Amino acid sequence: MIDIDVKIDLNTQNGKKEAHYKLHIHSNEFITLFGKSGAGKTTLLRLIAGLENPKSGHIVVNDEVWFDNKINLSPQKRGVGFVFQDYALFPTMSVKNNILYGCKSDEQKKSLDKLLALMELENLANAYPHQLSGGQKQRVALARALINEPKILLLDEPLSALDNEMRIKLQNELLSIHKEFKIPALLVSHDISETIKLSDKVAIIEDGKVERYDTPINIFRDDEKDVLLGEIIDIQNDKIFVMVGTSIVTVDSDEISKYKVGEIMKLKVSIL
């Protein structure tokens, strides 16, 4: 069980606000933090990892206090696996040495061959980051996060820069890895279809607060018939571009000012 209840001052799109994150995560759950850019999703990951400090509250993981008014464990002592959006690989290190970086024990190093096989990187162990594709870099970053047997896995939009085919492939791999390692995971995502596919629960983040926390179906379903939900990804002139699943739909509107990029939009569809 992970219990998070922390406050921190946050600069949001609507000005400086006090963020207040409250989440209860059960063992082995896959949670997606969903919301528009600047809402505070990555900040929550950094607070859990110890890369930023709350001004008050507590973070308790499996009955171990990581933060409260007396305790503030360093990132090295928290046992977190963090996959950053840009992967943060060391360019002068091979795949093998990138994965082994930060290993705390010889026992953990013994997992290298297993992780290389799991990530399909055996033939790339001596390659360097500039020789890898985006998907391969993502696998290296994921293997590095897992080799220390973390208590929680934090994923900051690790698939956002990949093409659609590779993104779908790695979504499936993430599901397999999550089942294999049986640890809770928190993913930051803007993709509705990805969120529904991967998540046990979804936390909707707005201005540094968890506004809704429920299953993906309850979060994204709509009680109206013949309605699809999509995320507004761009607005140009009198056209709104909406991501629905893996497709982009163009919507004409005379009331462009009512909509903002990042919002969820309801689309009426006709069934022929």
PDB file of all heavy atoms in Angstrom, residues 106-139:
ATOM      1  N   ASP A 106      26.023  -6.997  -5.772  1.00  0.00           N
ATOM      2  CA  ASP A 106      26.377  -8.003  -6.768  1.00  0.00           C
ATOM      3  C   ASP A 106      25.175  -8.875  -7.105  1.00  0.00           C
ATOM      4  O   ASP A 106      25.047  -9.366  -8.236  1.00  0.00           O
ATOM      5  CB  ASP A 106      27.526  -8.876  -6.253  1.00  0.00           C
ATOM      6  CG  ASP A 106      28.835  -8.103  -6.175  1.00  0.00           C
ATOM      7  OD1 ASP A 106      28.971  -7.097  -6.910  1.00  0.00           O
ATOM      8  OD2 ASP A 106      29.703  -8.482  -5.371  1.00  0.00           O
ATOM      9  N   GLU A 107      24.276  -9.055  -6.136  1.00  0.00           N
ATOM     10  CA  GLU A 107      23.078  -9.871  -6.359  1.00  0.00           C
ATOM     11  C   GLU A 107      22.201  -9.234  -7.434  1.00  0.00           C
ATOM     12  O   GLU A 107      21.661  -9.922  -8.300  1.00  0.00           O
ATOM     13  CB  GLU A 107      22.303 -10.013  -5.048  1.00  0.00           C
ATOM     14  CG  GLU A 107      21.182 -11.043  -5.093  1.00  0.00           C
ATOM     15  CD  GLU A 107      21.691 -12.466  -5.312  1.00  0.00           C
ATOM     16  OE1 GLU A 107      22.803 -12.775  -4.870  1.00  0.00           O
ATOM     17  OE2 GLU A 107      20.951 -13.241  -5.946  1.00  0.00           O
ATOM     18  N   GLN A 108      22.073  -7.908  -7.373  1.00  0.00           N
ATOM     19  CA  GLN A 108      21.272  -7.218  -8.373  1.00  0.00           C
ATOM     20  C   GLN A 108      21.914  -7.296  -9.757  1.00  0.00           C
ATOM     21  O   GLN A 108      21.224  -7.403 -10.769  1.00  0.00           O
ATOM     22  CB  GLN A 108      21.072  -5.760  -7.958  1.00  0.00           C
ATOM     23  CG  GLN A 108      20.151  -5.595  -6.754  1.00  0.00           C
ATOM     24  CD  GLN A 108      20.104  -4.170  -6.238  1.00  0.00           C
ATOM     25  OE1 GLN A 108      20.962  -3.356  -6.544  1.00  0.00           O
ATOM     26  NE2 GLN A 108      19.102  -3.875  -5.427  1.00  0.00           N
ATOM     27  N   LYS A 109      23.250  -7.260  -9.808  1.00  0.00           N
ATOM     28  CA  LYS A 109      23.950  -7.344 -11.083  1.00  0.00           C
ATOM     29  C   LYS A 109      23.675  -8.670 -11.796  1.00  0.00           C
ATOM     30  O   LYS A 109      23.750  -8.754 -13.026  1.00  0.00           O
ATOM     31  CB  LYS A 109      25.448  -7.163 -10.873  1.00  0.00           C
ATOM     32  CG  LYS A 109      25.849  -5.754 -10.459  1.00  0.00           C
ATOM     33  CD  LYS A 109      27.349  -5.640 -10.251  1.00  0.00           C
ATOM     34  CE  LYS A 109      27.721  -4.228  -9.785  1.00  0.00           C
ATOM     35  NZ  LYS A 109      29.172  -4.108  -9.542  1.00  0.00           N
ATOM     36  N   LYS A 110      23.333  -9.699 -11.018  1.00  0.00           N
ATOM     37  CA  LYS A 110      23.052 -11.005 -11.606  1.00  0.00           C
ATOM     38  C   LYS A 110      21.777 -10.988 -12.453  1.00  0.00           C
ATOM     39  O   LYS A 110      21.525 -11.892 -13.231  1.00  0.00           O
ATOM     40  CB  LYS A 110      22.927 -12.056 -10.503  1.00  0.00           C
ATOM     41  CG  LYS A 110      24.238 -12.330  -9.766  1.00  0.00           C
ATOM     42  CD  LYS A 110      24.034 -13.351  -8.656  1.00  0.00           C
ATOM     43  CE  LYS A 110      25.318 -13.586  -7.879  1.00  0.00           C
ATOM     44  NZ  LYS A 110      25.126 -14.530  -6.743  1.00  0.00           N
ATOM     45  N   SER A 111      20.969  -9.925 -12.281  1.00  0.00           N
ATOM     46  CA  SER A 111      19.723  -9.814 -13.056  1.00  0.00           C
ATOM     47  C   SER A 111      19.953  -9.268 -14.459  1.00  0.00           C
ATOM     48  O   SER A 111      19.020  -9.204 -15.258  1.00  0.00           O
ATOM     49  CB  SER A 111      18.730  -8.895 -12.322  1.00  0.00           C
ATOM     50  OG  SER A 111      18.436  -9.379 -11.038  1.00  0.00           O
ATOM     51  N   LEU A 112      21.193  -8.859 -14.756  1.00  0.00           N
ATOM     52  CA  LEU A 112      21.469  -8.209 -16.039  1.00  0.00           C
ATOM     53  C   LEU A 112      21.071  -9.081 -17.224  1.00  0.00           C
ATOM     54  O   LEU A 112      20.362  -8.629 -18.128  1.00  0.00           O
ATOM     55  CB  LEU A 112      22.949  -7.837 -16.133  1.00  0.00           C
ATOM     56  CG  LEU A 112      23.379  -7.236 -17.480  1.00  0.00           C
ATOM     57  CD1 LEU A 112      22.657  -5.921 -17.731  1.00  0.00           C
ATOM     58  CD2 LEU A 112      24.893  -7.047 -17.522  1.00  0.00           C
ATOM     59  N   ASP A 113      21.524 -10.325 -17.237  1.00  0.00           N
ATOM     60  CA  ASP A 113      21.239 -11.203 -18.388  1.00  0.00           C
ATOM     61  C   ASP A 113      19.736 -11.420 -18.553  1.00  0.00           C
ATOM     62  O   ASP A 113      19.219 -11.455 -19.677  1.00  0.00           O
ATOM     63  CB  ASP A 113      21.949 -12.548 -18.217  1.00  0.00           C
ATOM     64  CG  ASP A 113      23.460 -12.417 -18.382  1.00  0.00           C
ATOM     65  OD1 ASP A 113      23.901 -11.405 -18.964  1.00  0.00           O
ATOM     66  OD2 ASP A 113      24.186 -13.313 -17.921  1.00  0.00           O
ATOM     67  N   LYS A 114      19.029 -11.566 -17.432  1.00  0.00           N
ATOM     68  CA  LYS A 114      17.578 -11.757 -17.492  1.00  0.00           C
ATOM     69  C   LYS A 114      16.892 -10.534 -18.096  1.00  0.00           C
ATOM     70  O   LYS A 114      15.999 -10.653 -18.951  1.00  0.00           O
ATOM     71  CB  LYS A 114      17.031 -12.031 -16.087  1.00  0.00           C
ATOM     72  CG  LYS A 114      15.518 -12.159 -16.035  1.00  0.00           C
ATOM     73  CD  LYS A 114      15.032 -12.347 -14.610  1.00  0.00           C
ATOM     74  CE  LYS A 114      13.505 -12.391 -14.547  1.00  0.00           C
ATOM     75  NZ  LYS A 114      13.009 -12.552 -13.164  1.00  0.00           N
ATOM     76  N   LEU A 115      17.324  -9.333 -17.677  1.00  0.00           N
ATOM     77  CA  LEU A 115      16.714  -8.110 -18.187  1.00  0.00           C
ATOM     78  C   LEU A 115      17.060  -7.889 -19.660  1.00  0.00           C
ATOM     79  O   LEU A 115      16.210  -7.447 -20.444  1.00  0.00           O
ATOM     80  CB  LEU A 115      17.166  -6.911 -17.344  1.00  0.00           C
ATOM     81  CG  LEU A 115      16.471  -6.768 -15.991  1.00  0.00           C
ATOM     82  CD1 LEU A 115      17.171  -5.722 -15.137  1.00  0.00           C
ATOM     83  CD2 LEU A 115      15.006  -6.395 -16.175  1.00  0.00           C
ATOM     84  N   LEU A 116      18.295  -8.177 -20.034  1.00  0.00           N
ATOM     85  CA  LEU A 116      18.670  -8.046 -21.450  1.00  0.00           C
ATOM     86  C   LEU A 116      17.803  -8.946 -22.321  1.00  0.00           C
ATOM     87  O   LEU A 116      17.346  -8.546 -23.401  1.00  0.00           O
ATOM     88  CB  LEU A 116      20.149  -8.394 -21.638  1.00  0.00           C
ATOM     89  CG  LEU A 116      21.172  -7.352 -21.151  1.00  0.00           C
ATOM     90  CD1 LEU A 116      22.585  -7.935 -21.203  1.00  0.00           C
ATOM     91  CD2 LEU A 116      21.093  -6.079 -21.986  1.00  0.00           C
ATOM     92  N   ALA A 117      17.534 -10.161 -21.838  1.00  0.00           N
ATOM     93  CA  ALA A 117      16.691 -11.088 -22.588  1.00  0.00           C
ATOM     94  C   ALA A 117      15.247 -10.613 -22.621  1.00  0.00           C
ATOM     95  O   ALA A 117      14.588 -10.636 -23.669  1.00  0.00           O
ATOM     96  CB  ALA A 117      16.775 -12.482 -21.976  1.00  0.00           C
ATOM     97  N   LEU A 118      14.750 -10.154 -21.466  1.00  0.00           N
ATOM     98  CA  LEU A 118      13.365  -9.696 -21.368  1.00  0.00           C
ATOM     99  C   LEU A 118      13.111  -8.505 -22.288  1.00  0.00           C
ATOM    100  O   LEU A 118      12.048  -8.395 -22.910  1.00  0.00           O
ATOM    101  CB  LEU A 118      13.050  -9.318 -19.916  1.00  0.00           C
ATOM    102  CG  LEU A 118      11.620  -8.917 -19.590  1.00  0.00           C
ATOM    103  CD1 LEU A 118      10.667 -10.090 -19.793  1.00  0.00           C
ATOM    104  CD2 LEU A 118      11.516  -8.406 -18.154  1.00  0.00           C
ATOM    105  N   MET A 119      14.099  -7.619 -22.396  1.00  0.00           N
ATOM    106  CA  MET A 119      13.948  -6.411 -23.220  1.00  0.00           C
ATOM    107  C   MET A 119      14.427  -6.615 -24.657  1.00  0.00           C
ATOM    108  O   MET A 119      14.453  -5.667 -25.440  1.00  0.00           O
ATOM    109  CB  MET A 119      14.749  -5.255 -22.592  1.00  0.00           C
ATOM    110  CG  MET A 119      14.370  -4.936 -21.179  1.00  0.00           C
ATOM    111  SD  MET A 119      12.697  -4.287 -21.045  1.00  0.00           S
ATOM    112  CE  MET A 119      12.549  -4.203 -19.254  1.00  0.00           C
ATOM    113  N   GLU A 120      14.839  -7.840 -24.990  1.00  0.00           N
ATOM    114  CA  GLU A 120      15.348  -8.159 -26.325  1.00  0.00           C
ATOM    115  C   GLU A 120      16.535  -7.269 -26.689  1.00  0.00           C
ATOM    116  O   GLU A 120      16.625  -6.693 -27.783  1.00  0.00           O
ATOM    117  CB  GLU A 120      14.238  -8.018 -27.372  1.00  0.00           C
ATOM    118  CG  GLU A 120      13.057  -8.961 -27.131  1.00  0.00           C
ATOM    119  CD  GLU A 120      11.961  -8.805 -28.164  1.00  0.00           C
ATOM    120  OE1 GLU A 120      12.123  -7.988 -29.093  1.00  0.00           O
ATOM    121  OE2 GLU A 120      10.939  -9.492 -28.050  1.00  0.00           O
ATOM    122  N   LEU A 121      17.483  -7.178 -25.744  1.00  0.00           N
ATOM    123  CA  LEU A 121      18.663  -6.338 -25.925  1.00  0.00           C
ATOM    124  C   LEU A 121      19.971  -7.131 -25.887  1.00  0.00           C
ATOM    125  O   LEU A 121      21.046  -6.541 -25.859  1.00  0.00           O
ATOM    126  CB  LEU A 121      18.713  -5.253 -24.818  1.00  0.00           C
ATOM    127  CG  LEU A 121      17.604  -4.203 -24.817  1.00  0.00           C
ATOM    128  CD1 LEU A 121      17.644  -3.399 -23.525  1.00  0.00           C
ATOM    129  CD2 LEU A 121      17.743  -3.279 -26.025  1.00  0.00           C
ATOM    130  N   GLU A 122      19.885  -8.464 -25.904  1.00  0.00           N
ATOM    131  CA  GLU A 122      21.106  -9.276 -25.762  1.00  0.00           C
ATOM    132  C   GLU A 122      22.158  -8.910 -26.809  1.00  0.00           C
ATOM    133  O   GLU A 122      23.347  -8.818 -26.486  1.00  0.00           O
ATOM    134  CB  GLU A 122      20.798 -10.782 -25.896  1.00  0.00           C
ATOM    135  CG  GLU A 122      19.793 -11.304 -24.882  1.00  0.00           C
ATOM    136  CD  GLU A 122      18.456 -11.568 -25.536  1.00  0.00           C
ATOM    137  OE1 GLU A 122      17.950 -10.666 -26.245  1.00  0.00           O
ATOM    138  OE2 GLU A 122      17.940 -12.689 -25.351  1.00  0.00           O
ATOM    139  N   ASN A 123      21.735  -8.693 -28.040  1.00  0.00           N
ATOM    140  CA  ASN A 123      22.684  -8.401 -29.118  1.00  0.00           C
ATOM    141  C   ASN A 123      23.133  -6.941 -29.137  1.00  0.00           C
ATOM    142  O   ASN A 123      23.955  -6.562 -29.987  1.00  0.00           O
ATOM    143  CB  ASN A 123      22.078  -8.759 -30.470  1.00  0.00           C
ATOM    144  CG  ASN A 123      21.782 -10.245 -30.593  1.00  0.00           C
ATOM    145  OD1 ASN A 123      22.485 -11.074 -30.017  1.00  0.00           O
ATOM    146  ND2 ASN A 123      20.738 -10.579 -31.338  1.00  0.00           N
ATOM    147  N   LEU A 124      22.599  -6.156 -28.222  1.00  0.00           N
ATOM    148  CA  LEU A 124      22.950  -4.732 -28.175  1.00  0.00           C
ATOM    149  C   LEU A 124      23.655  -4.361 -26.873  1.00  0.00           C
ATOM    150  O   LEU A 124      23.830  -3.178 -26.585  1.00  0.00           O
ATOM    151  CB  LEU A 124      21.680  -3.879 -28.325  1.00  0.00           C
ATOM    152  CG  LEU A 124      20.963  -3.988 -29.674  1.00  0.00           C
ATOM    153  CD1 LEU A 124      19.595  -3.321 -29.598  1.00  0.00           C
ATOM    154  CD2 LEU A 124      21.801  -3.370 -30.782  1.00  0.00           C
ATOM    155  N   ALA A 125      24.082  -5.344 -26.109  1.00  0.00           N
ATOM    156  CA  ALA A 125      24.673  -5.086 -24.795  1.00  0.00           C
ATOM    157  C   ALA A 125      25.876  -4.156 -24.860  1.00  0.00           C
ATOM    158  O   ALA A 125      26.115  -3.358 -23.949  1.00  0.00           O
ATOM    159  CB  ALA A 125      25.072  -6.399 -24.121  1.00  0.00           C
ATOM    160  N   ASN A 126      26.641  -4.219 -25.949  1.00  0.00           N
ATOM    161  CA  ASN A 126      27.848  -3.401 -26.070  1.00  0.00           C
ATOM    162  C   ASN A 126      27.654  -2.190 -26.984  1.00  0.00           C
ATOM    163  O   ASN A 126      28.618  -1.473 -27.288  1.00  0.00           O
ATOM    164  CB  ASN A 126      29.008  -4.259 -26.590  1.00  0.00           C
ATOM    165  CG  ASN A 126      29.392  -5.345 -25.590  1.00  0.00           C
ATOM    166  OD1 ASN A 126      29.517  -5.085 -24.391  1.00  0.00           O
ATOM    167  ND2 ASN A 126      29.547  -6.570 -26.075  1.00  0.00           N
ATOM    168  N   ALA A 127      26.421  -1.955 -27.410  1.00  0.00           N
ATOM    169  CA  ALA A 127      26.128  -0.785 -28.245  1.00  0.00           C
ATOM    170  C   ALA A 127      26.002   0.464 -27.368  1.00  0.00           C
ATOM    171  O   ALA A 127      25.862   0.381 -26.145  1.00  0.00           O
ATOM    172  CB  ALA A 127      24.844  -1.009 -29.029  1.00  0.00           C
ATOM    173  N   TYR A 128      26.035   1.630 -28.028  1.00  0.00           N
ATOM    174  CA  TYR A 128      25.933   2.907 -27.314  1.00  0.00           C
ATOM    175  C   TYR A 128      24.622   3.597 -27.704  1.00  0.00           C
ATOM    176  O   TYR A 128      24.037   3.294 -28.764  1.00  0.00           O
ATOM    177  CB  TYR A 128      27.138   3.797 -27.639  1.00  0.00           C
ATOM    178  CG  TYR A 128      28.406   3.304 -26.974  1.00  0.00           C
ATOM    179  CD1 TYR A 128      29.161   2.287 -27.555  1.00  0.00           C
ATOM    180  CD2 TYR A 128      28.812   3.811 -25.750  1.00  0.00           C
ATOM    181  CE1 TYR A 128      30.310   1.801 -26.936  1.00  0.00           C
ATOM    182  CE2 TYR A 128      29.958   3.344 -25.120  1.00  0.00           C
ATOM    183  CZ  TYR A 128      30.694   2.342 -25.711  1.00  0.00           C
ATOM    184  OH  TYR A 128      31.812   1.857 -25.080  1.00  0.00           O
ATOM    185  N   PRO A 129      24.141   4.505 -26.852  1.00  0.00           N
ATOM    186  CA  PRO A 129      22.827   5.109 -27.103  1.00  0.00           C
ATOM    187  C   PRO A 129      22.632   5.682 -28.495  1.00  0.00           C
ATOM    188  O   PRO A 129      21.540   5.576 -29.064  1.00  0.00           O
ATOM    189  CB  PRO A 129      22.747   6.199 -26.026  1.00  0.00           C
ATOM    190  CG  PRO A 129      23.522   5.621 -24.878  1.00  0.00           C
ATOM    191  CD  PRO A 129      24.675   4.906 -25.531  1.00  0.00           C
ATOM    192  N   HIS A 130      23.658   6.301 -29.075  1.00  0.00           N
ATOM    193  CA  HIS A 130      23.483   6.908 -30.404  1.00  0.00           C
ATOM    194  C   HIS A 130      23.266   5.857 -31.490  1.00  0.00           C
ATOM    195  O   HIS A 130      22.850   6.191 -32.610  1.00  0.00           O
ATOM    196  CB  HIS A 130      24.689   7.787 -30.750  1.00  0.00           C
ATOM    197  CG  HIS A 130      25.940   7.014 -31.085  1.00  0.00           C
ATOM    198  ND1 HIS A 130      26.822   6.583 -30.108  1.00  0.00           N
ATOM    199  CD2 HIS A 130      26.455   6.583 -32.274  1.00  0.00           C
ATOM    200  CE1 HIS A 130      27.829   5.939 -30.674  1.00  0.00           C
ATOM    201  NE2 HIS A 130      27.625   5.914 -31.988  1.00  0.00           N
ATOM    202  N   GLN A 131      23.526   4.591 -31.169  1.00  0.00           N
ATOM    203  CA  GLN A 131      23.324   3.503 -32.130  1.00  0.00           C
ATOM    204  C   GLN A 131      21.956   2.840 -31.989  1.00  0.00           C
ATOM    205  O   GLN A 131      21.651   1.897 -32.718  1.00  0.00           O
ATOM    206  CB  GLN A 131      24.418   2.445 -31.937  1.00  0.00           C
ATOM    207  CG  GLN A 131      25.834   2.980 -32.171  1.00  0.00           C
ATOM    208  CD  GLN A 131      26.902   1.976 -31.783  1.00  0.00           C
ATOM    209  OE1 GLN A 131      26.899   1.442 -30.673  1.00  0.00           O
ATOM    210  NE2 GLN A 131      27.821   1.711 -32.703  1.00  0.00           N
ATOM    211  N   LEU A 132      21.127   3.333 -31.074  1.00  0.00           N
ATOM    212  CA  LEU A 132      19.849   2.700 -30.757  1.00  0.00           C
ATOM    213  C   LEU A 132      18.674   3.472 -31.339  1.00  0.00           C
ATOM    214  O   LEU A 132      18.716   4.694 -31.484  1.00  0.00           O
ATOM    215  CB  LEU A 132      19.673   2.592 -29.244  1.00  0.00           C
ATOM    216  CG  LEU A 132      20.777   1.899 -28.448  1.00  0.00           C
ATOM    217  CD1 LEU A 132      20.455   1.941 -26.955  1.00  0.00           C
ATOM    218  CD2 LEU A 132      20.966   0.459 -28.908  1.00  0.00           C
ATOM    219  N   SER A 133      17.605   2.754 -31.614  1.00  0.00           N
ATOM    220  CA  SER A 133      16.342   3.399 -31.989  1.00  0.00           C
ATOM    221  C   SER A 133      15.651   3.923 -30.732  1.00  0.00           C
ATOM    222  O   SER A 133      16.054   3.622 -29.604  1.00  0.00           O
ATOM    223  CB  SER A 133      15.437   2.388 -32.695  1.00  0.00           C
ATOM    224  OG  SER A 133      15.003   1.394 -31.761  1.00  0.00           O
ATOM    225  N   GLY A 134      14.581   4.685 -30.938  1.00  0.00           N
ATOM    226  CA  GLY A 134      13.833   5.209 -29.787  1.00  0.00           C
ATOM    227  C   GLY A 134      13.280   4.105 -28.906  1.00  0.00           C
ATOM    228  O   GLY A 134      13.331   4.176 -27.683  1.00  0.00           O
ATOM    229  N   GLY A 135      12.741   3.053 -29.539  1.00  0.00           N
ATOM    230  CA  GLY A 135      12.192   1.943 -28.769  1.00  0.00           C
ATOM    231  C   GLY A 135      13.255   1.204 -27.990  1.00  0.00           C
ATOM    232  O   GLY A 135      13.024   0.772 -26.847  1.00  0.00           O
ATOM    233  N   GLN A 136      14.439   1.053 -28.579  1.00  0.00           N
ATOM    234  CA  GLN A 136      15.533   0.381 -27.871  1.00  0.00           C
ATOM    235  C   GLN A 136      16.023   1.214 -26.687  1.00  0.00           C
ATOM    236  O   GLN A 136      16.319   0.675 -25.621  1.00  0.00           O
ATOM    237  CB  GLN A 136      16.670   0.104 -28.858  1.00  0.00           C
ATOM    238  CG  GLN A 136      16.332  -0.982 -29.871  1.00  0.00           C
ATOM    239  CD  GLN A 136      17.276  -0.999 -31.058  1.00  0.00           C
ATOM    240  OE1 GLN A 136      18.020  -0.039 -31.308  1.00  0.00           O
ATOM    241  NE2 GLN A 136      17.245  -2.084 -31.824  1.00  0.00           N
ATOM    242  N   LYS A 137      16.100   2.522 -26.871  1.00  0.00           N
ATOM    243  CA  LYS A 137      16.492   3.396 -25.755  1.00  0.00           C
ATOM    244  C   LYS A 137      15.490   3.286 -24.608  1.00  0.00           C
ATOM    245  O   LYS A 137      15.866   3.271 -23.436  1.00  0.00           O
ATOM    246  CB  LYS A 137      16.576   4.855 -26.234  1.00  0.00           C
ATOM    247  CG  LYS A 137      17.742   5.150 -27.153  1.00  0.00           C
ATOM    248  CD  LYS A 137      17.696   6.608 -27.615  1.00  0.00           C
ATOM    249  CE  LYS A 137      18.823   6.899 -28.595  1.00  0.00           C
ATOM    250  NZ  LYS A 137      18.758   8.290 -29.091  1.00  0.00           N
ATOM    251  N   GLN A 138      14.203   3.212 -24.978  1.00  0.00           N
ATOM    252  CA  GLN A 138      13.173   3.079 -23.945  1.00  0.00           C
ATOM    253  C   GLN A 138      13.357   1.792 -23.161  1.00  0.00           C
ATOM    254  O   GLN A 138      13.214   1.768 -21.940  1.00  0.00           O
ATOM    255  CB  GLN A 138      11.788   3.133 -24.595  1.00  0.00           C
ATOM    256  CG  GLN A 138      10.649   3.328 -23.619  1.00  0.00           C
ATOM    257  CD  GLN A 138      10.055   2.006 -23.158  1.00  0.00           C
ATOM    258  OE1 GLN A 138      10.446   0.941 -23.619  1.00  0.00           O
ATOM    259  NE2 GLN A 138       9.132   2.082 -22.224  1.00  0.00           N
ATOM    260  N   ARG A 139      13.707   0.713 -23.850  1.00  0.00           N
ATOM    261  CA  ARG A 139      13.911  -0.570 -23.170  1.00  0.00           C
ATOM    262  C   ARG A 139      15.119  -0.518 -22.241  1.00  0.00           C
ATOM    263  O   ARG A 139      15.094  -1.083 -21.145  1.00  0.00           O
ATOM    264  CB  ARG A 139      14.105  -1.684 -24.197  1.00  0.00           C
ATOM    265  CG  ARG A 139      12.862  -2.031 -25.005  1.00  0.00           C
ATOM    266  CD  ARG A 139      13.122  -3.300 -25.806  1.00  0.00           C
ATOM    267  NE  ARG A 139      12.019  -3.619 -26.692  1.00  0.00           N
ATOM    268  CZ  ARG A 139      12.017  -3.354 -27.985  1.00  0.00           C
ATOM    269  NH1 ARG A 139      13.039  -2.739 -28.537  1.00  0.00           N
ATOM    270  NH2 ARG A 139      10.994  -3.694 -28.733  1.00  0.00           N
TER     271      ARG A 139
END
